[in-house]
Amino acid sequence: MNSSPKVPMPTLERLATYLRYLIDLDASHVETISSTDVERQTGINAAQFRKDLSYFGEFGKPGVGYNVSELQARIARILKIDQMQPVIVVGAGNLGSALIGYPGLQEHKFHIAAAFDRDPAKIGRLQNDLVVLDESSLGEVNAKIGARIAILCVPANAAQHVANDAIAAGVRVILNFAPIILKVPERVVVRNVSFLQELAVLSYHLSSEAPAT
Amino acid sequence: MNSSPKVPMPTLERLATYLRYLIDLDASHVETISSTDVERQTGINAAQFRKDLSYFGEFGKPGVGYNVSELQARIARILKIDQMQPVIVVGAGNLGSALIGYPGLQEHKFHIAAAFDRDPAKIGRLQNDLVVLDESSLGEVNAKIGARIAILCVPANAAQHVANDAIAAGVRVILNFAPIILKVPERVVVRNVSFLQELAVLSYHLSSEAPAT
């Protein structure tokens, strides 16, 4: 079972980065890598890479390195993305559409099982082989799908309401793109993706530039 | 000048969250808030809020609270988003289009000055009042615009090349949506937005759920 009690969040985030890199290597038929290769390619230093893996047991062979497809499979298993997982997307605007059509999701075994919107102009339209469903049917539809992951691509003023519905429908983790902080029960985990926040932080860095070049 | 030497990244990130919340309050004509209100609304605790502000001088009046529009203006000034800043977007697919049409950008004084793509089918098309330009003209165009912020919405295999071009054209900070780690000169700051990474981290949390409900 390898139940690693408490893995730090940054380690999990880096594991996802390694996995991304390994998938690319595997696609290019690279068989073995060293931690130095990882450092050169991802910018994460070799010692950190080895430490991150050490939470989960033994990896790699001294003097040989890491077998790419084996390491990929093990990290996927650690992150529980070794089996297809259904995901629902709420909000089928440009952002929702970008996600629905994003090839990387499938690669990481996230299967978008249903997309919802409340705009009558969007409901019933086909998006990447998915028919956009009426948001009000979320509970009913997810009773069949059983998705525990929801991606919210709705405007800020709709997000809390949609989150409540998703949670009532069995969702346990939410990836939230709306620029508000959702209030959720303790058992639910939310990750916020805020590009505005990212931009604001970047903007601050611009100002600390040396004035002369 | 208030030159605060080294403000921690999490503080900057929270400032952006406060700002988002203050903009909404201001739009609803709320005049004054307390740090307890902030805690209730954003989930960030009141003491943390006061500590974050303390890096930048005196804020609020004891027993009265914080003036919403004043605090908003000061945080915007701290984050250097009190004046319109030109931003270029490279990649005008679904994700790029979502960003170009995102109303929050304008609210935060980020002005998308130009959008680029290398796909002939996209070049010349109108997107939210912007004509999509040929990616090869990036240097020439940015010589006029002078944007120092670029948002990359291109596929992973194009991102490094586009980043190089943007940096050569004067870009100093990059918001990168491509799932690769960019190699950039030290003077350039990159923030990565990776929803795959976020999803993978969420997925891990699903597994640590109690099996029985």
Side-chain angles (χ1 to χ4, degrees):
Chain A
M1 279 288 115
N2 231 338
S3 86
S4 346
K6 197 67 188 163
V7 181
M9 191 62 92
T11 292
L12 292 175
E13 291 170 350
R14 284 189 298 268
L15 284 178
T17 301
Y18 305 143
L19 182 62
R20 175 69 244 179
Y21 161 63
L22 291 164
I23 288 173
D24 289 345
L25 285 179
D26 206 24
S28 327
H29 308 291
V30 175
E31 285 179 15
T32 318
I33 49 149
S34 67
S35 54
T36 323
D37 294 332
V38 173
E39 174 163 347
R40 203 167 42 236
Q41 290 296 320
T42 67
I44 300 166
N45 86 51
Q48 181 68 64
F49 170 69
R50 289 189 301 264
K51 181 159 181 242
D52 287 337
L53 293 184
S54 72
Y55 282 98
F56 307 97
E58 299 268 314
F59 287 83
K61 291 199 189 84
V64 178
Y66 301 84
N67 179 289
V68 169
S69 65
E70 196 183 300
L71 186 56
Q72 181 189 331
R74 282 191 64 182
I75 294 181
R77 206 156 56 233
I78 291 167
L79 292 175
K80 318 289 166 188
I81 50 179
D82 53 338
Q83 292 171 22
M84 271 297 169
Q85 296 195 67
V87 174
I88 57 173
V89 171
V90 191
N94 275 320
L95 181 60
S97 305
L99 286 163
I100 295 168
Y102 187 59
L105 283 174
Q106 201 73 11
E107 263 172 34
H108 279 68
K109 309 256 178 160
F110 294 110
H111 166 64
I112 299 186
F116 300 88
D117 206 290
R118 65 174 175 187
D119 177 0
K122 295 207 182 78
I123 297 166
R125 270 179 44 193
L126 202 63
Q127 291 243 338
N128 269 64
D129 299 333
L130 272 184
V131 177
V132 176
L133 303 174
D134 188 330
E135 208 172 283
S136 65
S137 68
L138 198 156
E140 193 190 328
V141 173
N142 206 42
K144 292 172 209 146
I145 298 173
R148 297 199 292 164
I149 306 178
I151 306 181
L152 305 195
C153 305
V154 298
N157 60 12
Q160 183 64 57
H161 163 76
V162 167
N164 297 348
D165 287 354
I167 293 165
V171 162
R172 287 298 165 263
V173 303
I174 294 175
L175 185 61
N176 172 40
F177 281 86
I180 71 154
I181 291 168
L182 298 172
K183 293 184 187 79
V184 299
E186 230 174 88
R187 68 179 188 281
V188 176
V189 182
V190 178
R191 300 274 291 180
N192 296 299
V193 179
S194 167
F195 32 81
L196 274 177
Q197 200 177 35
E198 300 293 340
L199 272 175
V201 170
L202 282 172
S203 171
Y204 177 85
H205 284 290
L206 269 186
S207 67
S208 55
E209 264 197 343
T213 315
Chain B
M1 278 289 113
N2 231 339
S3 86
S4 347
K6 195 67 185 163
V7 181
M9 190 63 91
T11 292
L12 293 175
E13 291 170 351
R14 283 189 298 267
L15 284 177
T17 301
Y18 305 142
L19 182 61
R20 175 68 245 179
Y21 162 63
L22 291 164
I23 288 173
D24 288 346
L25 285 179
D26 207 24
S28 327
H29 308 291
V30 175
E31 286 180 14
T32 318
I33 50 150
S34 67
S35 53
T36 322
D37 294 332
V38 172
E39 174 163 345
R40 202 167 39 235
Q41 290 296 320
T42 66
I44 300 166
N45 86 51
Q48 182 68 63
F49 170 70
R50 289 189 300 265
K51 183 165 180 234
D52 287 336
L53 293 184
S54 72
Y55 283 98
F56 307 97
E58 299 268 315
F59 287 83
K61 290 198 189 86
V64 178
Y66 302 84
N67 179 289
V68 169
S69 65
E70 197 183 298
L71 186 56
Q72 181 188 332
R74 281 190 66 180
I75 294 181
R77 206 155 58 232
I78 290 168
L79 293 174
K80 319 288 166 186
I81 49 178
D82 53 337
Q83 291 170 22
M84 271 296 168
Q85 296 196 67
V87 174
I88 57 173
V89 171
V90 191
N94 275 320
L95 181 61
S97 305
L99 287 163
I100 294 168
Y102 187 60
L105 284 174
Q106 201 73 12
E107 263 171 33
H108 279 69
K109 309 256 179 159
F110 294 110
H111 167 65
I112 299 187
F116 300 88
D117 206 291
R118 64 175 176 186
D119 177 0
K122 296 207 181 78
I123 297 166
R125 271 179 43 191
L126 201 63
Q127 291 242 338
N128 271 63
D129 298 334
L130 272 184
V131 176
V132 177
L133 303 174
D134 189 331
E135 208 174 283
S136 66
S137 68
L138 197 156
E140 193 190 327
V141 173
N142 205 42
K144 292 172 207 145
I145 298 172
R148 297 199 292 162
I149 305 177
I151 305 182
L152 305 196
C153 305
V154 298
N157 60 12
Q160 183 64 56
H161 163 76
V162 167
N164 298 347
D165 287 355
I167 294 165
V171 163
R172 287 297 164 266
V173 302
I174 294 175
L175 186 62
N176 173 40
F177 281 85
I180 71 155
I181 292 169
L182 298 171
K183 294 186 185 78
V184 299
E186 230 174 89
R187 67 178 190 283
V188 175
V189 182
V190 177
R191 301 273 290 179
N192 296 298
V193 180
S194 167
F195 32 81
L196 274 178
Q197 201 176 35
E198 300 293 340
L199 273 176
V201 170
L202 283 173
S203 172
Y204 177 85
H205 284 289
L206 268 187
S207 67
S208 55
E209 263 196 345
T213 313

